[in-house]
Amino acid sequence: MIKTMKKITKTLVALTVALLSVTTSCKNYLDIVPDNIPTIDNAFTSRTEAEKYLFTCYSYLPNDADPVSNVAFLGADEIWIPPSRRGILENFNMSWDIARGSQNAGSPIVNIWNGRFQAIRQCNIFLENISDKNKVLDLPADLRTRWIAEVKFLKAFYNFQLLRAYGPIPIIDTNLDIFADTEDMKVKRMPFDTCVDYIAKLLDEATPDLPPLIGERATEMGRITRPIAMAIKAKLLVLAASPLFNGNPDYANFKDKDGTQLINTTFQVSKWQKAADAAKAAIDASELSGHKLYTFVPASNLSDTTDRQMSIRNAITERWNAEKVWGLSGSNANNLQRVAMGCLTTAFNVNNSNSQLSVPLKITDMFYSKNGVPINEDKTLDFSNKNQLRTAVREERFYVSNGYQTARINYDREPRFYADLGFDGGVWYMIANNPGISGTDESTFYMQAKYTQPGNSGAEGYYNETGYFIKKLVEWNLTNSASANTVRTYEWPEIRLADLYLLYAEALNEAKGPDEADIFVYLDKIRTRASLLGVKESWANFSNNPAKYTTKDGLRAIIKQERSIELAFEGSRFWDLRRWKDAVTAMNAPITGWSISQSTAAGYYQPRLIFAQTFVAPRDYLWPIATSNFTVNTNLVQNPGW
Amino acid sequence: MFRLQLTASGQHREPGTFNRNVMRKHLSFLLKSAARASFFVLLFMSYTAMAQNLKVSGTVRDSTGVLPGVSVKVKGAATGGSTSVNGTYTITAPRTAVLTFTFVGMKTQEFPLNNVRANSAGEYTLNVTMSPDQNALEEVAVVGFGTQKKTTMVGSVTTISPKELKGPTSNLTQMLAGRLSGVIGFQSSGEPGSDNASFFVRGIGSFGTGQVSPLILIDGIESTQTDLARLQADDIASFSLLKDATAAAVYGARGANGIVLIKTKEGEAGKTKFTFRFENTLSENTQNFKFADNITYMNLANEAALTRNPLNPIPYSQTKINRTASGTANPYLYPSNNWIDQIIKDKTLNQRYNMSVTGGADKAKYYVGGTFNVDNGIYKVDQLNNFNNNVKLLNYSIRSNVTLQLTKSTRADIRVYGQFDDYNGPLGGGKEIFQAAIFANPVMFPMRYPASYAPNIKHPLFGNAVKETVPGSSVGGGLYNNPYAFLVQGYRQQNKSNLQPQIELTQDLDGLTKGLKFRFMGYVRRNSEFDINRSYFPFYYSAGSTDGTDIVLNALNPGGAGSIGTTGSEYLNYAEGDKELSSALYTETAMNYGRTFAGKHAISGMLIATLRNSLNGNAGSLQASLPKRNQGISGRFTYGYDERYMTEFNFGYNGTERFAKNHRFGFFPSIGVAYVVSNENFWEPMSNVVSKMKLRATYGLNGNDAIGADTDRFFYLSNVNLTGGPSYSFGEDPSLLYSRPGIQVLRYANDRITWEESKQLNLGVDFSLYNALNVTIDAYKKRTSNILQDRSAVPSTMGLLAAAVANVGVQDNKGIDMQADYSKSLGNKSWVQIRGTFTYATNKIVTYDEPSYPASLAHLYRVGHSAGESMGYIAERLFTDDIEVDNSPSQAAIAGGVRVRGGDIKYRDVNNDGVINTNDRVFMGLPSTPEITYGFGFSASHKSFDLSAQVNGNARFAFFVNSGAFNGSSLSESGIAPFVQIGGYQNGLLQAIAEDHWSEDNRNAYAFWPRLNSINTPNNAVRSSWWMREGSFLRLQQVEVGFTPKQQWRDKLHMKNIRLYVSARNLFVVTKFKLWDPEVRGNGLDYPLQRVYNFGVNVGL
C-alpha cells in the first residue's frame, strides 16, 4: 500500500512537472500586445503627432456662429423665434429655453461645465508634455514656445468662459491623476477675484510668445495672436470690474463651505482702471498688427446709402476683414444665415430661407434716430406714434421701397437700423440675382412681410415672429431659389475692434468719468463709421437731454446703448446685460412684435405680445451647476438661488 | 414505472445454446461513410445448463425502443448475460430464480420466474420495459474535465435527462427554465433566429457590464448561446449544470457564472441503428396587442390635438371620419387599415427533421447525427414579388462522433460538427416589421392600390400620403411609413456557419500505475457570418378624387421636381451587411488518476493544463483585434472513505491576456465535503423510509476575466485614437482649411484592474423517500467582489474624457435551488412520474462606487438594493387640472419643454425641494430579472399511450410599460404613446389606451393613460411607478401525448420502434398583466412568443 502510494506520488510529481513545463514553455503566451500600440505617449513622439494634440486643444473653441450652441443668440431678449422650433432650431433645452425661463439646476440648459473642464484637462496634458524638452524632439524651440503660449491662452479662455457663466470656479491648473484620492478630487470654487487673477496671469504669460499677426494666412488664419490674448484679457478685466462682480451686495451670503466670500461685496474703482488699461493695450496691439475698423470701398454703381450700409454689414460678413481681431476659423456662419434670411420674393423658398430669427420691437426701438440720438430723446423727430402708417417717398428708396406703406418707426432711423434689420417694406440689397436695375441698388430687393406676402410664408415654424429680420448676419452673396440656398460663409467674428473701442470707452468712463477725451475719440470712431455725428455734437444738437454725456451716469447710458446697437445680434447683449446687472430690467419686459398674421398694413402694424419674459435676480445672473455635481463633490457650493 | 409483458409461446429450445461472436471487419471504415459500414456484434455469455431449468427469452425495451446491452442476471448467482442489439435475451434459470435486469440510467427490475407461465407452445417469454431512473441516470455525472459518480459527488451539479429537453421547438435554450434547478430563465422574443431564451445560473451574480451568462461547454468546446440553441436534444448524451464553487473551480477564471456542460452521444458498437424524427409544427402568436378601431383612432387623434391646445388644427375632419365609418365610401379614398391583420398571418408551419446513425465495433464506433429545421416567420408574403420576404430560418447541422480504440489502452475520439443557419427575412429583421406595423398611421393611405388604377405602370402602387404638419413639432412634409411596403420591398439573407473539428486522445497508463490516464483534447472552431440585403424603393401614390368616388392617383416619389423622399425604383438594389469571422484554438492536456484501495479508500486526482486562443476577424479596432487568450492549470483531488465520507479539493490557476502582468494569473481554490448518512450502519432501520441521505458543503473562489466591454479589454493600456479625435481647422478660405486629425482618449491606462471574484458557500442535501421521491436542495451564499464599474464619484472638474473604472463593486447573492421527482407504478400497465424544480436567486448590492449623498437624497443610494432594480419617479396620480399643476412642485425639469397639464402624471417630490428632477427618483419594485423560476410537470404512460405536461413560471420581477413614443431608431426603447409622429412613423392606438385615458370629460385621476397628446410627452414617458408592472406568470409550457404501437404492429412495419406524438407549447398563461405576454416583459411591441401545435413521428430502425 505504502509502496503504491509512493509510486503514485512520484508519478504525480513527474506529471505535474511535465504539465507545468508545457505551460511555462509558453510563459509569454499571454503577452499578445505588440509594441507600438497607440497610447497617449505616441501623441508626443513627433512634431506631426504633437501638432494633432495642439489642434485638439483648439477643438474646444466655441462654435459661436451656430444659432443653437451660442447661448448669446437666443438666450436673452435680442432674438426671438417661432414657438414651433423647426429645422435647425428644432432642439429643445437649448438657449431659447433659458430666455423662456426654463433654466433649472437638475439638467441645466447649455451646460458647459463638463465640456470646459475636459478642454482644460486636454490643455494641461498638452502643456505638461510639450514643456518637457525631452519629448517631441523634432519640435523647433520657437514653435514650442508659440504652441505653449497658444495653449496657455486656450486654457485661459476656457476658464474665462466658465467664469463668465458661473462666476467663481475651481481652478484646475494641473491635472490630477485618475487614481487620485477622491478627497483630492473634491476641488473647491475659488473666490472670483482669485480666478480673475489666475486667468489674467495665464494670458500675460502667453501674450509675449504669441505672434502679433498671422503670416501663413492660408493655413494659420484663426490661430491665436497677441491681440487676441490681450483682447480677452480686456474682456476679462471689464467683466471683473462690472457691477455683477465688483462689489455686488446681492452676493453677500454667497460663501464657500468654509466661509470664504466667493464674490467680493466691496466696489473697487481701480478694477475699472485696470480694465481700461488692458483695453487700451489691446487696442494698441491690434492696431499695431494692422487691425482697423472696416469700411466698405464705395462702389460706383451703388448709392451712398447702400455704401454706408455695406460698411456696417460687411464688418461682420466679409471674410477676415481687418476689423476682426479674432475670427473663429472653425466656426463658419452657414446655418445662421439660413435661419436669419427671409424670403424676399416668391422665388425664395422658406425651407432654405427660414426667416426664423426675429427681433423684438424693444430691440428695434433701441436703434437711434437718424440724428444719432435715442428715438425718445430726439427733439426734432417725433416717434411717439410708432405704428402710424406712412408711405415711402423716392428720396427714401434706399431704405424703404418707394411708395411702400410702412410704420412711422421704420423711417428716419440711423443707418445701422437699415443695415441690420429687414422689415416690411425695408430695402434689402443683395449683390446677386438683384431684381432691380442691373448692377445697381435701384428698385432692388425689399421685404414684404405681411400675411400672404412673400416674406410671410405661413409655413409651420418657418416664419418671422415679430416682423423684423436680421439682415446684418446675412452675407450679401447669398442666393436662394426654390430648391437650394447658397451662402457664402464667413468666419465668426469672436472679437471685433469695435468691441474693444466700446470696452475701452466704458471702462474709462467708469474709472475716471466723462472728462476723459479718449472716451469720445473711440465712441465717435464707431459712430463715424455708422455715418453719425459724434456724441457731443449729436446730443447737443438733437437731444432733449443735451448735457447727458457730461455726467458719468448719462455717458454710461450712452455707451451702453451705443454698444448694444453696434454689437447687436452678435451675441454681446446676453453677456452685457448680465455684467451690467441690467438683465433684471430688460428681461422682465415683454417680447412684442407686429401682428404678423394680418394682411393689411393697418392690421399688421399692431404690436402684439408674444411672450412675457421673467428674469429672477440674482438667481438668473449665474448658471446653475448641475445638481449631480454636489453629490459627487461635497466641497462644491451652488450658485445663489439655484 | 415498468411494463411487464408476460407471454407464453409453445416453442421449445435446447438449453445451452451458444452463439459465437461474428464480426466482420472493414478496415476502410474510417474513410467511408459511416452509414454504409456494417458491423454485427452478437454477444452472449456462455452458460452452463442446469437441471429443472426454464429457458426464458424476451425483449427488453424502453419507451423509445429496444435496449441492447441490458444486463440480465439470476439474482444471487454469477450467471447471466446481456441483451443483443435487438434487445433480445435468452437465459436459462431455475424455476425459483429471480431475474434482475439492470442498465445504466434505468431502474433495476426484478422478476421471479415462478410467475412466468408458458404459452401454448410451451415457451417462456418475459418481455421487460425498462423505465428511466432519475437517480440512476445520474449515477455518473459529467463534471469539469471528467465524470464523477453521482453518489460520491460533493459539488452542486444539476443533471437532466436529455429526453426532458425534447420539445416542439428548434431552440434548446427554451427548454431549460423550469426544468433545471438553478436556472433563472425567460424568453423575450418569438422571432425565428432571435428567439433564444435568456438564462442565468443562480441569477445574475454581478452588476458589472461584463459576462454574466454561464460558460457553455459542448464536448469541452466553448460555445455560444446560439450554439446551445441549435443543439439537438437527440444528440445529447448528458447535460450538467455546475453551480457551486467546487463544481466550477477547475474552470477558475471562467467559472463564476456557472457552467453548462454537455456531452454529445458517442457511437454504440453493434448493428447499425437508425433513428428518425420528423415534426411538423403549426405556430401562432401567443398574444397580439389590440388596436382600437380606426374611427376611435381618428376621434382620439383629434382629441389629442385639441386637448393640449384648442387652437390646434384637427388632424381628421368630421367628413373623413363619417365617410370612413359609413363603410360605403371608397376604401382607397377613405382607407382604414389594420396593419397587424394586413401583414401578419394567423399561423405558420415549421418542420424539423432529425436523424442519427450509430454502430460500429469495439475498435471503431460512430455516431452520426443530422438535423434539418425550417422555422418560418409569421409575415404574409405577397405574390407581388417572386422573393420571400417572410422569415425563413433553415438550420442544418451534421455531427460525426467517431471513437477509435487505437490500441488496447489508447482511445481516440474524433468529433466533427458543422452548424449552419440560412436565414431569409424582411429588411432589418423580423421585429422591425412589427415595429413598422405598430408605428404606422392606419387611416391616411391604403396599403396598395389595385394595379388596374394605373394600367401602364408595372410596379406596385403602394399607398402613402404627405404628412401634415403637427403643431409644436418639426414633423411635416415627408411621407408616411407604409409597413406593408416596408415588408414587401425586399429581403435579407444571412448565412452563419460554425465548423468545429475536435480530437481527443485517452491513454490508459495502467502500466505505469493502475488507474492513471493521460488525456489530450484539442479543437479548432471557425465561425463566419454575412448578410445581404436586396430591395427596391417603393413607388408611392396618393389618391385624389374630384367627385368623391372616382380616383385619380398621384405619384408621390416618381423623381424629378416635387418628388418627395427617396425616388422609387423598379429594380432591386443591393447592400452588403456585416460580416463576422472568428476563430478559436484550444488544447487541454490532462492526467487523471482514480483508484480505490482496500475497497474503501477512493482516491482520485486530476491535473490539467489548458491553452485557449481566439481571434476576431472584424474586431473594429487594433486593440480589440488582438487575440484573446487564456492559459491555466487546474486540478481536482478527491478522497472518499467507504462511500460515506467524501472530500474534494479543486483549484484553477488561470491567466488571461486582459490585465497588467502582475494581475494576469489568478488562483481559484475550493474545497468540499460530503457525508452519505444513509450509508452508515445506524441508518439501516430508516432506510425503508429514507432510502438515501447525503449532506454536502462546499466553499470556494471563482473568477471572471470577461469584465467590462469586450472591445475594452486592455485596461492597463490607454486607448487613444490618434487619427479621429476632435480637431480644428485654420485658414483664410473656408473651402481650403488646414486641419489635422485630433487626438481622442478612449480609455485611460489603469494597471490595477483585475479579476472579478466570487466566493461561494453551498450547502446541499440529497435524499430519497421510499425509493420513489428524490429531492435535492441546495442553498448558497455567494459574494461577488471586484466588480468593475465606472467611478461615479469622480467630479466633472476632473475633465475626464473617458470614464475612470475600478474593481470596486461588491454584490451578495443568495438563493435556493430545489428539485424533486417522484415515480410511481400504477398497476402493471401504467406509470407516472412527477417532477418539479424551484429556483430562487436574489441579490443585493453591498458596495457601489457612488457619491455620498446628503440625508435628503439618501434614497439615491444603490447600495442595499438588488442590482436589477430600476430607478423611477413615484407617480401619485394624474393631475386634476392645470391649477393643481401650477400649485405643485415644478415638473419642468422632466417635461422636456412640453407644458405639464391636468391629466399628466403627478410625481412625488421625494426630497421636498419643490422641484421634480432626477433627485426624486427612487429604486422601485422588483428586479427586471425574475428572482424565482419554477416548473413542474409529469409524465405518465398507460399501455401504448404516454402523456406529459410541463408548467413553468417566473415570479418576483417587474418591468416598465414603455410609455414613450417610437424614438426613431430603437424598438426596444420605443413605447406605446399613440399618435406621436417621428419621421414617417406615427404610433398606433392601443385598445387599452382608447378605453381608459384621462380626458377633459372624464377626469379620472387613475386612468390607465394620461391626457392624450399628439407629440411626445416626456413628463409621462419617464420611468415611473405609473408604468411599473409586476410580471409574475405561470404558463402551461408544454403538453405532449404519445402513442407507441404494439410490438406486432411494429414488427409488421419492420421498425424497431415507432412513436407518434402530438404536442403543444405555450397553450396559456396565467398573469395579471394583460397588454401582452408578460414573459417578453417591456418588449411588448416585439415579435410575440409563439404558441405551437406539433405533430411528430419518431422511428427507430
Side-chain angles (χ1 to χ4, degrees), chain A residues 563-582:
Chain A
R563 182 173 175 85
S564 301
I565 296 168
E566 177 60 28
L567 301 177
F569 320 124
E570 292 178 60
S572 186
R573 179 178 169 87
F574 178 90
W575 299 109
D576 290 336
L577 287 180
R578 280 170 165 71
R579 66 180 176 87
W580 290 333
K581 286 182 74 182
D582 286 350

Side-chain angles (χ1 to χ4, degrees), chain A residues 130-145:
Chain A
I130 291 288
S131 305
D132 182 347
K133 294 213 164 56
N134 295 318
K135 291 186 175 174
V136 205
L137 294 169
D138 61 342
L139 184 65
D142 57 333
L143 263 190
R144 192 184 295 266
T145 326

Side-chain angles (χ1 to χ4, degrees), chain A residues 7-8 15-16 20 23 26 29 31-32 48 52 55-56 90 113 121-122 217-218 221 320 329 629 631, chain B residues 474 512 591 593 607 627 629 631 633 664 722 728-732 740-741 743 791 796 798 800-801 851:
Chain A
K7 197 174 168 190
I8 295 164
L15 290 168
T16 311
L20 284 172
T23 317
C26 19
Y29 187 69
D31 279 334
I32 47 134
T48 320
K52 293 182 189 171
F55 279 48
T56 303
E90 189 176 320
W113 184 267
R121 187 177 185 91
Q122 294 279 46
R217 292 178 66 92
M221 278 309 263
W320 300 113
S329 57
N629 285 288
T631 52
Chain B
S474 62
L512 210 57
M591 298 302 296
Y593 177 76
L607 269 181
R629 284 188 175 172
Q631 176 181 28
I633 293 183
R664 270 187 199 160
L722 290 173
Y728 207 73
S729 319
F730 301 99
E732 217 171 4
R740 299 285 299 141
I743 284 170
R791 293 191 60 187
S796 44
M798 284 288 285
L800 297 188
L801 294 163

Side-chain angles (χ1 to χ4, degrees), chain A residues 204-435:
Chain A
D204 287 343
E205 286 169 11
T207 304
D209 295 337
L210 289 167
L213 73 168
I214 297 297
E216 299 287 334
R217 292 178 66 92
T219 55
E220 291 193 354
M221 278 309 263
R223 293 274 287 266
I224 298 304
T225 59
R226 198 174 295 161
I228 295 173
M230 296 174 79
I232 290 300
K233 186 180 174 194
K235 288 201 140 202
L236 170 76
L237 296 186
V238 166
L239 180 74
S242 295
L244 184 65
F245 295 116
N246 188 2
N248 187 344
D250 297 348
Y251 293 132
N253 294 319
F254 182 20
K255 290 178 178 165
D256 203 2
K257 288 196 172 160
D258 58 13
T260 313
Q261 186 75 38
L262 289 176
I263 294 178
N264 64 75
T265 52
T266 340
F267 173 73
Q268 285 179 290
V269 74
S270 61
K271 288 180 180 167
W272 277 117
Q273 186 57 53
K274 280 167 76 180
D277 294 345
K280 185 66 169 60
I283 290 169
D284 292 346
S286 300
E287 289 177 343
L288 194 65
S289 296
H291 294 292
K292 58 180 185 196
L293 287 190
Y294 173 84
T295 45
F296 181 70
V297 181
S300 57
N301 56 341
L302 297 180
S303 63
D304 291 351
T305 311
T306 305
D307 282 342
R308 280 202 299 271
Q309 280 194 26
M310 294 323 298
S311 279
I312 298 160
R313 287 170 65 180
N314 287 9
I316 316 299
T317 60
E318 184 166 314
R319 290 180 187 166
W320 300 113
N321 70 68
E323 188 173 342
K324 292 187 182 179
V325 175
W326 188 8
L328 291 175
S329 57
S331 180
N332 279 290
N334 183 356
N335 284 342
L336 183 65
Q337 299 192 55
R338 237 179 89 177
V339 294
M341 188 65 204
C343 296
L344 296 174
T345 68
T346 48
F348 282 66
N349 186 313
V350 78
N351 290 324
N352 302 314
S353 294
N354 301 155
S355 313
Q356 288 154 304
L357 299 188
S358 318
V359 185
L361 296 187
K362 63 174 178 178
I363 301 295
T364 65
D365 285 352
M366 189 179 73
F367 286 86
Y368 296 142
S369 73
K370 67 180 179 189
N371 298 319
V373 295
I375 54 172
N376 56 356
E377 281 182 32
D378 196 313
K379 62 187 182 191
T380 64
L381 292 164
D382 177 20
F383 288 95
S384 60
N385 206 352
K386 293 176 185 170
N387 52 347
Q388 188 180 38
L389 295 177
R390 180 175 139 184
T391 303
V393 296
R394 190 176 144 71
E395 291 69 49
E396 293 163 330
R397 70 186 183 281
F398 298 113
Y399 293 130
V400 179
S401 185
N402 190 16
Y404 201 87
Q405 195 182 40
T406 181
R408 194 275 164 270
I409 192 77
N410 293 338
Y411 293 95
D412 302 329
R413 304 298 294 274
E414 62 159 317
R416 284 180 296 196
F417 179 90
Y418 299 103
D420 288 6
L421 298 169
F423 57 90
D424 182 42
V427 167
W428 191 320
Y429 181 73
M430 299 295 276
I431 197 163
N433 299 341
N434 199 318

Side-chain angles (χ1 to χ4, degrees), chain B residues 845-960:
Chain B
I845 294 176
V846 180
T847 307
Y848 195 88
D849 189 332
E850 55 192 332
S852 37
Y853 295 111
S856 63
L857 296 178
H859 56 274
L860 297 177
Y861 281 115
R862 284 197 85 91
V863 164
H865 293 280
S866 166
E869 249 177 87
S870 297
M871 268 194 129
Y873 295 93
I874 301 175
E876 297 193 325
R877 57 183 167 76
L878 303 180
F879 281 114
T880 315
D881 50 27
D882 296 349
I883 299 161
E884 194 194 1
V885 175
D886 294 340
N887 293 311
S888 300
S890 165
Q891 301 188 177
I894 54 172
V898 178
R899 189 184 155 199
V900 181
R901 304 282 306 269
D904 286 335
I905 304 173
K906 175 177 166 60
Y907 299 107
R908 184 175 303 162
D909 182 11
V910 176
N911 63 348
N912 281 318
D913 63 352
V915 290
I916 306 294
N917 58 27
T918 49
N919 283 342
D920 294 302
R921 296 183 308 158
V922 298
F923 286 94
M924 52 174 58
L926 291 163
S928 50
T929 304
E931 290 193 328
I932 292 176
T933 294
Y934 59 95
F936 47 90
F938 72 92
S939 308
S941 165
H942 179 70
K943 291 186 178 168
S944 296
F945 290 94
D946 59 81
L947 169 70
S948 67
Q950 172 79 17
V951 171
N952 282 352
N954 277 346
R956 288 194 56 78
F957 73 104
F959 59 87
F960 292 83

Side-chain angles (χ1 to χ4, degrees), chain B residues 326-356:
Chain B
S326 75
T328 53
N330 187 326
Y332 296 108
L333 285 176
Y334 297 97
S336 175
N337 299 292
N338 182 331
W339 291 118
I340 291 290
D341 285 356
Q342 281 162 263
I343 66 176
I344 310 291
K345 295 198 281 194
D346 289 341
K347 49 191 165 296
T348 188
L349 285 175
N350 304 318
Q351 289 84 36
R352 286 183 289 280
Y353 308 88
N354 197 286
M355 62 90 60
S356 69

Side-chain angles (χ1 to χ4, degrees), chain A residues 12-23:
Chain A
L12 283 178
V13 167
L15 290 168
T16 311
V17 170
L19 272 176
L20 284 172
S21 65
V22 168
T23 317

